[in-house]
Amino acid sequence: MNNSYAGPSSASADASATRRNSKRPKYSKFTQQELPACKPILTPQWVISVFTLIGLIFVPIGVASLFASNNVVEIVDRYDTECIPKNMTDNKIAYIQNQAINKTCIRKVRVPKDMDQPIYVYYQLDNFYQNHRRYVKSRNDAQLRDEKKANETSGCDPEKTAANGSPIVPCGLIAWSLFNDTYTFTRGNQSLTVNKTNISWKSDRDHKFGSNVFPKNFQNGTLVGGGSLDLNKSLSEQEDLIVWMRTAALPTFRKLYGKIEVDLKKNDIITVVLKNNYNTYSFSGKKKLVLSTTSWLGGKNDFLGIGYLTVGGLCFFLAAAFTVVYFVKPRKLGDTSYLSWNRTGTGR
């Protein structure tokens, strides 16, 4: 009689196999990478067609973008050097820091083409690094949002507290350096009103600046950095501040000052009465006043159109080059004679 005996090692192997099977993932075509796949072969006809199609799409977009940009009418007037008294051109910093000197300056600009409303008024600063790390961090967002956190001044160095130790609202270097040049416009005897409502982002007004937060101890120190704020208006209503505190990424930037909601005609002479208050002379900066219309693409900017035309033209050139090569020196698709080990004298 034959008796079979399964020892401990056999039982252990069966248990191990059971555990392995229980851990095996559920089969699916996705996990096993068995889904249908498309693997296109880049034939000459396919490559030439793709380059031609890209060219046909990009070139018209580039032309339309350049056309839209060229339709934007823009007036740029640099005034920081022109608005200094002749006897102080060699001492600009002393001029701008002397509060007793009248900073009023009158400029006249001519409208080169018809400008349809709304006409956007910007101030442009050059060589102003709002993206400097210490400058960007010098603010407290919690303080700007909630009146209960008015004492929160962490991160606002060096403009945290007043001389008596009470917190500054809004604190930090960004708010302290608020741009404070002002502009008024007239055309002949007609005053042109500048609308300064809704010049900031709605999301900033609604979520970043509280409607119950009011300025306190702002610009009360011995060293005044820039503009002052209306103590009776909440921060969410002070849109000049909101615009200024959305810091720029580049040292040359424009920020919206307001909108002129009147059409201007070609050759109109606009008289600008401005207050040259903001100090850009300490860091060799420049100040410019910009009046601009817009198009469906935004402001005046040729870069996008030139970029589309460049890519589209390059694709047309490559399509033409490949077409010439294909007809002059065609190559059979999948010809194994071009493999290195099949070429004469190069086999292993």
Side-chain angles (χ1 to χ4, degrees):
M1 181 175 67
N2 294 329
N3 293 325
S4 60
Y5 172 72
S9 60
S10 177
S12 176
D14 292 342
S16 177
T18 303
R19 284 196 299 271
R20 284 197 301 270
N21 291 334
S22 64
K23 294 181 180 179
R24 182 176 298 172
K26 184 179 179 181
Y27 170 82
S28 71
K29 290 186 176 182
F30 177 77
T31 58
Q32 298 302 317
Q33 300 184 16
E34 295 178 356
L35 292 173
C38 177
K39 299 177 181 178
I41 299 174
L42 296 180
T43 62
Q45 295 92 333
W46 172 254
V47 172
I48 293 170
S49 299
V50 169
F51 276 127
T52 303
L53 179 62
I54 294 175
L56 290 173
I57 295 174
F58 275 47
V59 168
I61 293 177
V63 172
S65 300
L66 279 178
F67 184 76
S69 179
N70 289 333
N71 282 340
V72 173
V73 184
E74 188 175 270
I75 303 172
V76 181
D77 179 48
R78 179 182 176 184
Y79 63 88
D80 59 291
T81 55
E82 303 297 329
C83 289
I84 298 179
K86 292 182 179 180
N87 62 337
M88 302 199 73
T89 54
D90 295 331
N91 201 352
K92 300 175 183 177
I93 297 177
Y95 157 76
I96 201 69
Q97 291 179 346
N98 190 337
Q99 300 298 322
I101 299 177
N102 185 9
K103 303 298 194 305
T104 301
C105 180
I106 299 176
R107 304 284 296 163
K108 291 183 181 293
V109 295
R110 187 180 65 84
V111 178
K113 297 180 181 178
D114 289 351
M115 301 179 72
D116 297 331
Q117 62 170 310
I119 299 164
Y120 294 91
V121 182
Y122 301 91
Y123 55 88
Q124 177 176 321
L125 298 181
D126 293 7
N127 200 37
F128 191 115
Y129 288 83
Q130 271 199 318
N131 59 351
H132 191 283
R133 180 174 175 270
R134 290 186 63 187
Y135 183 88
V136 171
K137 292 180 64 178
S138 186
R139 62 188 290 167
N140 188 293
D141 290 321
Q143 183 202 62
L144 298 174
R145 287 193 302 265
D146 190 354
E147 65 172 342
K148 297 179 181 178
K149 297 183 179 180
N151 294 328
E152 290 280 344
T153 58
S154 60
C156 286
D157 294 316
E159 292 295 319
K160 296 175 63 173
T161 57
N164 59 3
S166 56
I168 298 174
V169 182
C171 65
L173 284 175
I174 306 177
W176 176 78
S177 60
L178 174 64
F179 186 80
N180 62 338
D181 284 6
T182 60
Y183 314 101
T184 57
F185 302 87
T186 57
R187 178 179 55 180
N189 296 324
Q190 178 189 8
S191 176
L192 302 177
T193 303
V194 179
N195 183 0
K196 297 177 70 69
T197 59
N198 296 328
I199 61 173
S200 61
W201 290 20
K202 186 177 185 300
S203 58
D204 287 353
R205 297 195 301 270
D206 293 345
H207 304 294
K208 291 189 176 183
F209 294 83
S211 58
N212 55 358
V213 181
F214 292 84
K216 290 190 298 184
N217 302 312
F218 188 70
Q219 303 289 23
N220 285 349
T222 55
L223 184 61
V224 177
S228 58
L229 297 175
D230 189 339
L231 300 179
N232 298 317
K233 286 186 177 181
S234 66
L235 296 187
S236 64
E237 298 175 284
Q238 312 219 29
E239 297 199 49
D240 285 330
L241 173 71
I242 298 173
V243 171
W244 178 255
M245 294 198 68
R246 179 164 284 277
T247 52
L250 300 174
T252 297
F253 58 85
R254 293 178 181 179
K255 290 185 182 290
L256 186 60
Y257 181 82
K259 295 175 287 185
I260 297 176
E261 296 174 329
V262 176
D263 292 340
L264 300 180
K265 299 301 181 182
K266 182 179 179 180
N267 294 324
D268 278 351
I269 302 299
I270 308 301
T271 302
V272 185
V273 180
L274 61 89
K275 292 283 188 178
N276 184 27
N277 297 317
Y278 201 70
N279 182 9
T280 57
Y281 308 105
S282 299
F283 53 88
S284 300
K286 300 176 183 177
K287 292 190 290 187
K288 298 175 183 177
L289 171 65
V290 181
L291 303 179
S292 178
T293 59
T294 58
S295 67
W296 59 270
L297 200 58
K300 192 175 187 64
N301 188 349
D302 294 339
F303 176 79
L304 188 62
I306 293 173
Y308 271 107
L309 285 177
T310 301
V311 174
L314 181 62
C315 287
F316 274 134
F317 171 78
L318 292 175
F322 287 152
T323 301
V324 171
V325 171
Y326 177 66
F327 283 106
V328 172
K329 193 177 180 180
R331 175 186 291 189
K332 181 181 178 182
L333 186 64
D335 189 350
T336 58
S337 64
Y338 286 96
L339 297 174
S340 60
W341 54 84
N342 287 337
R343 295 175 186 172
T344 305
T346 61
R348 289 186 293 179

